[in-house]
Amino acid sequence: MDLKKLSDQYRDELLNNVLPFWLQNSQDKEFGGYFTCLDREGKVFDTDKFIWLQGREVWMFSMLYNKVEKRQEWLDCAVQGGEFLKKYGHDGNYNWYFSLDRSGRPLVEPYNIFSYTFATMAFGQLSLATGNQEYADIARKTFDIILSKADNPKGKWNKLHPGTRNLKNFALPMILCNLAMEIEHILGKDYLERAMDTCIHEVMDVFYRPELGGIIVENVDINGNLVDCFEGRQVTPGHAIEAMWFIMDLGKRLHRPELIEKAKNTTLTMLEYGWDKEHGGIFYFLDRNSFPPQQLEWDQKLWWVHIESLISLLKGYQLTGDKRCLDWFEKVHDYTWVHFRDAEYPEWYGYLNRKGEVLLPLKGGKWKGCFHVPRGLFQCWKILETLSLQTFPGLLNIAETQFKSIY
């Protein structure tokens, strides 16, 4: 592979295709915030606003402003979204709603912890872009609420009967691995390192299961034991693989090459486990005992699963030099660019059927917004750019300044 050519491909797709799509089509010039329900051509088909997607778009344009180029249109886009969130997104005590109507009136109560996590990411990155202390304070206050809710993320909206089958889910410790590093400038080094150790333990000691061949499960009981039920047998390859690049980042930050190696190996294990050997692509959900999964969409191919896999594979190769990562990257890259990229209109499809055919032609909706595609393009661009300048990829050959340029 020509790594320099690939780097240019990811950069150009980000800057000339995907970002203009969101800048032109998603901003609500009348009420503020963003439309995320956009059809294939970028036309709005629903005006409800989902807090976690609002936060993701604030984060995206703030991050690009901070790390790529000081473009005023990026900062303006981020600030207007942040102001909408600040005014309407929470109940006054930084309990973040799940969704609002177009004008900002709450539709769904703050039951979803990911409204909180992406609000924290948004205001953390926006505080760096603007120097506004109020934004940093919002991020810190929200992060403290997240930690207070860790044992029962849904709080009073938890529909499960207490005491019968108490499960904990992989998603929160996974996202906290990334979130802690996102707001290091707010938390401080000592606090950050304590938080990182807790997250690493949960992901790599509790949900990672060597007795199952080194896969990661989605739910365990509160004592960390496997449970034989639909939720307890669930495996979500994309979640596990995405978490592994968070862990690699932490491993680099903490100077723990053994952690990076374990995360790289887990990425490869989960890809082997989740790859559809008949039609290609990565399954959405699987059952660890090979029983029928409860999710009817289990065999769909989703955009974020494949894009996050590309990031993990490139980081694995960059940090360890394991050529298996590069081989897998080429395979996933080819599938992703052929099937998810729309050759006629900007942005990428999100949902394919098992055979790789477009299932929904939307470019954004209730679950897909301005996040995985542009973040993945940015990450892959920067890693490939660094790799194209290296002779021998691997942890010991990466200059500290090169790594920091990505983050």
Side-chain angles (χ1 to χ4, degrees), residues 86-331:
K86 184 181 77 172
K87 186 174 182 179
Y88 299 111
H90 58 90
D91 64 358
N93 294 309
Y94 302 109
N95 294 302
W96 297 86
Y97 298 113
F98 178 74
S99 61
L100 315 171
D101 71 7
R102 182 183 178 184
S103 66
R105 294 179 301 177
L107 292 173
V108 178
E109 296 285 7
Y111 80 95
N112 192 307
I113 196 66
F114 299 105
S115 296
Y116 295 72
T117 60
F118 289 105
T120 303
M121 282 180 64
F123 285 103
Q125 199 66 225
L126 191 58
S127 72
L128 285 176
T130 61
N132 187 329
Q133 184 60 40
E134 182 185 15
Y135 294 152
D137 292 341
I138 293 172
R140 179 57 194 258
K141 290 174 183 176
T142 304
F143 185 73
D144 288 340
I145 295 172
I146 292 169
L147 295 183
S148 74
K149 294 164 68 71
D151 292 335
N152 184 16
K154 292 185 179 180
K156 63 182 180 181
W157 293 285
N158 190 338
K159 65 184 179 180
L160 298 179
H161 186 79
T164 303
R165 183 186 288 158
N166 294 327
L167 300 178
K168 58 180 179 179
N169 182 263
F170 176 69
L172 183 56
M174 163 204 162
I175 200 65
L176 287 175
C177 288
N178 182 238
L179 183 57
M181 290 189 70
E182 278 287 331
I183 58 170
E184 179 175 5
H185 61 289
I186 295 170
L187 297 178
K189 180 180 178 182
D190 291 342
Y191 189 100
L192 173 72
E193 291 189 357
R194 290 197 302 272
M196 288 192 295
D197 286 341
T198 300
C199 295
I200 291 168
H201 166 71
E202 285 290 301
V203 171
M204 303 306 287
D205 297 326
V206 177
F207 290 93
Y208 171 83
R209 310 304 299 201
E211 73 272 33
L212 298 178
I215 66 170
I216 287 176
V217 296
E218 194 72 10
N219 297 285
V220 295
D221 71 16
I222 56 173
N223 297 314
N225 300 312
L226 295 172
V227 181
D228 188 10
C229 64
F230 276 121
E231 294 80 10
R233 294 192 304 268
Q234 180 181 329
V235 177
T236 314
H239 253 176
I241 295 168
E242 180 182 5
M244 289 307 99
W245 74 258
F246 299 163
I247 294 294
M248 289 183 220
D249 282 355
L250 292 175
K252 181 63 171 68
R253 172 68 174 72
L254 297 170
H255 307 289
R256 292 180 56 183
E258 81 289 349
L259 185 62
I260 294 172
E261 183 72 14
K262 185 175 180 180
K264 177 265 296 179
N265 288 336
T266 304
T267 296
L268 296 172
T269 297
M270 292 305 304
L271 270 168
E272 290 282 358
Y273 184 86
W275 189 259
D276 183 347
K277 295 175 177 57
E278 183 177 354
H279 297 286
I282 304 164
F283 287 118
Y284 192 11
F285 298 111
L286 293 169
D287 184 290
R288 61 180 171 83
N289 288 344
S290 300
F291 295 143
Q294 66 170 325
Q295 298 90 351
L296 300 182
E297 70 273 25
W298 70 273
D299 65 347
Q300 289 179 17
K301 312 295 167 61
L302 269 66
W303 83 107
W304 69 266
V305 174
H306 295 75
I307 291 167
E308 298 300 331
S309 296
L310 292 172
I311 301 172
S312 287
L313 289 164
L314 280 181
K315 283 185 187 284
Y317 179 64
Q318 181 190 39
L319 295 172
T320 71
D322 190 331
K323 287 186 170 56
R324 292 178 297 167
C325 292
L326 204 57
D327 292 340
W328 262 110
F329 171 79
E330 185 172 14
K331 187 174 183 177

Side-chain angles (χ1 to χ4, degrees), residues 19 22-23 26 34 56-66 73-75 77-78 129 370:
L19 293 181
W22 293 103
L23 281 170
S26 74
Y34 313 108
R56 284 176 161 192
E57 191 156 349
V58 172
W59 175 86
M60 179 58 61
F61 282 101
S62 300
M63 182 276 293
L64 293 168
Y65 179 83
N66 290 331
E73 64 175 347
W74 292 352
L75 182 61
C77 180
C370 180

